[in-house]
Amino acid sequence: MKAFVFHGPGQASWQDVPDPAIKEPTDAIVKVGAVTICGTDLHILKGDLPEVRPGTVLGHEAVGEVVEIGGDVRGVRPGDRVLISCITSCGRCRFCRDGAYGQCRGGGGWILGHLIDGTQAEYVRVPCTDLSVHPLSATLRSEDAVLLADIFPTSYEVGVLNGHVRPGDTVVIVGAGPIGLAAIATARLFAPERIIAIDLAPARLEAARRLGADAVADVHEAPAQLVDDLTDGLGADVVMEAVGVPESFELCTRMVRPCGHVANIGVHGRPATLHLEDLWMKNVTITTGLVDTSSTPTLLRMAAAGRLPTGQLVTHTFPLEQMAEAYDVFAKAAETGALKVVLGGEQHAEVAVPTA
């Protein structure tokens, strides 16, 4: 089969690799129908995650059709259309029993495209199938459903739920990429008073407005002052970091109010300074997290009911074999306007593949 293989920092290619095979009785083989690229994949290509070994097939989000199952799989059968979660769960270890699937110690957690071959391929082996895939409603398009594999549960769980967004809150989201935009959409479910989005790119700030941000700010134009002005100097109740660089995390800690929450969602490859000399007496809660995907069934029901704006985040579509081109478009989002790129999925004649 063909797959997108990591060869080291800055190097990857769409190439021939061996077909995956069942290794454990809880495995399934899924024919990939739609897949997307995550900002974490870009971090891998930059070398920010050295545990990813050269030769690994990238990707941890996909929709596809089950073509083969191991003898112990009970929840799906060949022919079923499923969402492959970015998180694999053994269901037995201490963390899985607590619903913290991202911390699985039984061979799961974030392993696809990280510790084992991932989903950016024609076929993928999915371990721990019964707790790691979700059957899909026929009414949910693949290019919409694939966004429920990672960015929506990540934004909802690590951002909105960890940040304890409540009705009437002022919520600030630093970073209006796909994760930040999904955080805007899911924060709105809790009726905050206002949502403020901060980013570098005008196109992403405009997308933030479309998805429900009440105010937007360029990161270079004193966003902390804007937050002060809108809150009478109090600061934001909840601030979410959705970029993954030290400067954005430190900005978040400057904008949060006493007794507020900073929810870090971004993947960080460099140390950030924690200014405890300013924060120690403010009763601020700072949370970090890898998504658990425990919310995925709920989000899938909401998406099927039309309650999540998944389609608004997809700006570019490609055939699977154009993986390298899709990466280039996604990596140059400031130039291309890319939010989420989807490869495969149902092909629609009215949707053209944009050029960079």
Side-chain angles (χ1 to χ4, degrees):
M1 70 170 185
K2 296 283 190 180
F4 196 65
V5 181
F6 173 68
H7 295 294
Q11 302 176 62
S13 63
W14 180 253
Q15 65 183 67
D16 289 319
V17 300
D19 292 342
I22 297 289
K23 294 183 178 179
E24 301 290 341
T26 53
D27 290 351
I29 305 299
V30 178
K31 181 180 181 182
V32 173
V35 68
T36 185
I37 301 170
C38 180
T40 307
D41 296 322
L42 299 184
H43 280 282
I44 292 171
L45 281 176
K46 290 177 184 176
D48 289 344
L49 287 89
E51 65 271 23
V52 181
R53 297 180 177 179
T56 301
V57 176
L58 295 182
H60 50 269
E61 308 157 88
V63 168
E65 178 184 329
V66 177
V67 295
E68 185 180 358
I69 58 174
D72 289 348
V73 175
R74 298 291 181 266
V76 295
R77 59 186 179 181
D80 285 351
R81 180 169 164 264
V82 296
L83 172 71
I84 301 173
S85 175
C86 66
I87 297 296
T88 301
S89 168
C90 77
R92 300 182 302 274
C93 72
R94 159 72 181 275
F95 292 108
C96 286
R97 287 180 180 273
D98 288 342
Y101 308 134
Q103 305 302 321
C104 175
R105 292 298 184 268
W110 173 37
I111 58 173
L112 289 170
H114 180 211
L115 304 180
I116 67 171
D117 287 338
T119 59
Q120 290 170 3
E122 294 176 322
Y123 294 87
V124 58
R125 179 179 73 92
V126 182
C128 305
T129 301
D130 283 336
L131 291 174
S132 305
V133 304
H134 301 271
L136 287 176
S137 163
T139 63
L140 194 56
R141 301 189 314 163
S142 293
E143 51 264 56
D144 293 329
V146 74
L147 301 192
L148 278 295
D150 186 351
I151 68 163
F152 270 90
T154 294
S155 299
Y156 181 60
E157 294 175 17
V158 184
V160 176
L161 297 185
N162 279 3
H164 292 271
V165 175
R166 296 178 299 181
D169 277 355
T170 292
V171 177
V172 177
I173 298 170
V174 179
I179 288 288
L181 295 174
I184 292 171
T186 51
R188 281 173 53 84
L189 300 173
F190 290 83
E193 180 182 359
R194 63 174 68 87
I195 298 174
I196 304 166
I198 299 169
D199 201 276
L200 291 164
R204 291 192 167 191
L205 293 176
E206 180 55 37
R209 284 192 183 278
R210 291 197 304 271
L211 283 162
D214 301 287
V216 299
D218 187 295
V219 72
H220 295 307
E221 297 179 353
Q225 184 60 54
L226 172 65
V227 173
D228 274 351
D229 292 345
L230 292 174
T231 61
D232 295 324
L234 186 64
D237 300 281
V238 182
V239 187
M240 302 181 204
E241 199 286 334
V243 181
V245 298
E247 296 81 4
S248 59
F249 175 79
E250 292 168 29
L251 174 62
C252 290
T253 63
R254 294 197 298 272
M255 293 188 294
V256 68
R257 67 165 173 82
C259 302
H261 290 78
V262 174
N264 183 86
I265 315 173
V267 177
H268 289 263
R270 293 182 287 138
T273 301
L274 180 62
H275 288 283
L276 285 176
E277 73 278 12
D278 298 324
L279 296 170
W280 73 270
M281 64 183 300
K282 292 179 68 174
N283 291 29
V284 169
T285 300
I286 298 175
T287 56
T288 65
L290 176 65
V291 64
D292 294 313
T293 65
S294 56
S295 68
T296 300
T298 298
L299 295 173
L300 279 170
R301 291 195 300 272
M302 295 183 68
R307 297 293 302 276
L308 293 177
T310 53
Q312 294 184 44
L313 272 70
V314 178
T315 55
H316 295 71
T317 60
F318 297 86
L320 265 181
E321 62 269 18
Q322 291 186 4
M323 190 69 68
E325 294 91 331
Y327 260 86
D328 190 52
V329 167
F330 186 61
K332 297 177 179 175
E335 302 170 22
T336 63
L339 295 175
K340 286 298 281 185
V341 303
V342 172
L343 297 100
E346 293 84 0
Q347 298 301 308
H348 304 283
E350 70 273 16
V351 179
V353 177
T355 57

